[in-house]
Amino acid sequence: MAKDFRYYFQHPWSRLIVAYLVIFFNFLIFAEDPVSHSRTEANVIVVGNCFSFVSNKYPEGGGWRFLKVFLWLLAILTGMIAGKFLFHQRLFGQLLRLKMFREDQGSWMTMFFSTILFLFIFSHIYNLCLLMAGNMRAYIITDFMGIRNESFMKVAAVGTWMGDFVTAWMVTDMMLQDKPYPDWGKSARAFWKRGNIRIVLFWTVLFTLTSVVVLVITTDWISWDKLNRGFLPSDEVSRAFLASFILVFDLLIVMQDWEFPHFMGDVDVNLPGLPAAHFQFRLPYFKKIFKEEYHIHITEYTSNYRRGKDQSICTCWTSIYQESPFYWQE
């Protein structure tokens, strides 16, 4: 590779630094944000409506409960169908012709976001039914989630850790397996690929650190205010910039992928934490509903599911800010 901007931008050290800085910045904003200690009711636009629509504010009558469950189940089904055939195939595939959404690639992520959209729309349809019935304003769905901000922020922090650390740890695993930069980390890569060391370390570090972080967050054993003592003070402006940095760094993780922007590559690596690059399993009794045979094969961040001559490709890439680190397509 020519030592140009792309060479240094996608260098393993650059990718590792960006991935692990995201973890630090996310925990810093969680620790500094006063909302994390607020006992007021949490309210998040769109997401709050979806959460409240599915989880709480159920009326007393059985008919109203049935209507609410029916509507949010219908919203999920409609969102998945619209995400697959309307947004993914028609909009992204045929109209915009985006290569990263070719065939079935990116379908599950598109379906996830379209499901949130339709849950939000159907929550307002449910609110309209309540308003027409009268005397049901107490059950109107709003962006208030019915839980306190401190509880919501703890759940968000755990989700952030699971998303960001798994992403960074997967990047580390890929960097130590792959060979586009042969002069980088020779001894570390040799040690990482020796025997079962890679598999043991991957799962041991993942479960150990996750257990410690979850315990620290949920039990409040560590007080940031006592540790900080004004060393890194923040205000609304600095936290807004910090949140912007997190968003930019999350985008950089995707852009630093060696296969960006089309995610088409031929460098074989093992699945993260697993001893093989591909697995095959069959569902002989459910072939009318699911595919009869699945073949999972990864090339850096790209996985292929094959059945005979048909092939669909799925890409694992980081979500933007506190979401899931990878997704699988059909």
Side-chain angles (χ1 to χ4, degrees):
M1 296 177 63
K3 293 189 176 181
D4 51 7
F5 173 77
R6 182 178 179 181
Y7 174 86
Y8 294 103
F9 178 70
Q10 295 182 335
H11 193 277
W13 279 121
S14 300
R15 298 184 65 175
L16 292 174
I17 290 172
V18 170
Y20 284 98
L21 275 179
V22 170
I23 301 176
F24 173 75
F25 286 155
N26 267 308
F27 277 101
L28 180 60
I29 197 172
F30 167 73
E32 282 291 310
D33 195 344
V35 178
S36 303
H37 310 286
S38 174
R39 295 181 177 271
T40 58
E41 186 177 3
N43 64 304
V44 183
I45 58 173
V46 180
V47 176
N49 289 71
C50 299
F51 180 85
S52 181
F53 187 35
V54 174
S55 63
N56 53 36
K57 292 187 179 180
Y58 281 88
E60 296 294 335
W64 283 107
R65 289 173 177 263
F66 173 80
L67 176 64
K68 187 175 184 180
V69 173
F70 172 76
L71 285 178
W72 63 255
L73 286 175
L74 182 62
I76 294 175
L77 179 62
T78 306
M80 295 178 66
I81 294 175
K84 174 67 176 179
F85 297 103
L86 179 61
F87 295 109
H88 183 268
Q89 291 187 0
R90 297 292 182 180
L91 180 60
F92 299 144
Q94 298 179 9
L95 183 60
L96 300 179
R97 300 192 179 189
L98 300 176
K99 290 185 179 180
M100 66 172 60
F101 292 101
R102 66 193 176 276
E103 298 181 354
D104 288 328
Q105 181 169 327
S107 59
W108 282 108
M109 183 60 70
T110 307
M111 292 162 64
F112 171 76
F113 284 113
S114 64
T115 299
I116 293 179
L117 173 63
F118 278 90
L119 279 172
F120 179 73
I121 294 173
F122 273 73
S123 68
H124 287 284
I125 297 176
Y126 176 72
N127 286 343
L128 181 60
C129 296
L130 294 178
L131 292 174
M132 292 174 62
N135 299 323
M136 301 290 287
R137 290 186 176 274
Y139 303 104
I140 292 291
I141 303 299
T142 64
D143 55 2
F144 286 91
M145 304 179 67
I147 58 177
R148 294 184 300 187
N149 272 306
E150 61 175 357
S151 300
F152 173 74
M153 291 299 289
K154 288 181 179 180
V155 174
V158 173
T160 297
W161 167 261
M162 293 302 299
D164 293 337
F165 180 72
V166 171
T167 297
W169 200 221
M170 287 177 61
V171 169
T172 305
D173 185 33
M174 298 300 177
M175 296 302 97
L176 292 174
Q177 286 189 73
D178 228 336
K179 300 178 181 179
Y181 293 79
D183 295 330
W184 175 81
K186 292 182 179 179
S187 58
R189 287 192 285 119
F191 172 78
W192 188 255
K193 292 185 289 186
R194 185 185 306 164
N196 294 324
I197 292 179
R198 183 183 69 86
I199 301 173
V200 174
L201 283 179
F202 184 91
W203 294 110
T204 301
V205 173
L206 178 62
F207 281 112
T208 302
L209 289 183
T210 299
S211 301
V212 172
V213 170
V214 171
L215 283 175
V216 169
I217 292 175
T218 56
T219 58
D220 294 326
W221 284 354
I222 298 178
S223 175
W224 173 252
D225 294 332
K226 294 180 180 179
L227 292 176
N228 187 14
R229 295 186 180 274
F231 176 69
L232 288 173
S234 67
D235 53 19
E236 288 81 359
V237 176
S238 61
R239 288 194 296 272
F241 276 103
L242 184 57
S244 301
F245 288 147
I246 294 171
L247 175 60
V248 171
F249 276 36
D250 278 329
L251 293 174
L252 285 178
I253 292 176
V254 181
M255 295 169 63
Q256 287 178 316
D257 193 305
W258 293 328
E259 299 168 3
F260 179 83
H262 302 311
F263 299 101
M264 299 176 65
D266 55 359
V267 181
D268 287 340
V269 295
N270 290 333
L271 292 163
L274 296 175
H278 59 86
F279 288 92
Q280 182 175 341
F281 59 95
R282 301 178 177 223
L283 298 172
Y285 300 106
F286 302 96
K287 57 184 178 181
K288 292 184 178 180
I289 302 176
F290 305 102
K291 292 181 180 180
E292 182 180 358
E293 179 178 306
Y294 288 85
H295 182 216
I296 303 175
H297 180 239
I298 189 168
T299 58
E300 198 199 353
Y301 287 149
T302 304
S303 304
N304 299 331
Y305 290 71
R306 296 191 180 98
R307 181 187 178 189
K309 295 182 180 180
D310 296 331
Q311 175 178 326
S312 59
I313 302 176
C314 121
T315 301
C316 302
W317 44 312
T318 12
S319 61
I320 298 177
Y321 193 56
Q322 296 183 349
E323 307 299 339
S324 159
F326 61 94
Y327 60 94
W328 300 103
Q329 280 77 16
E330 296 177 334

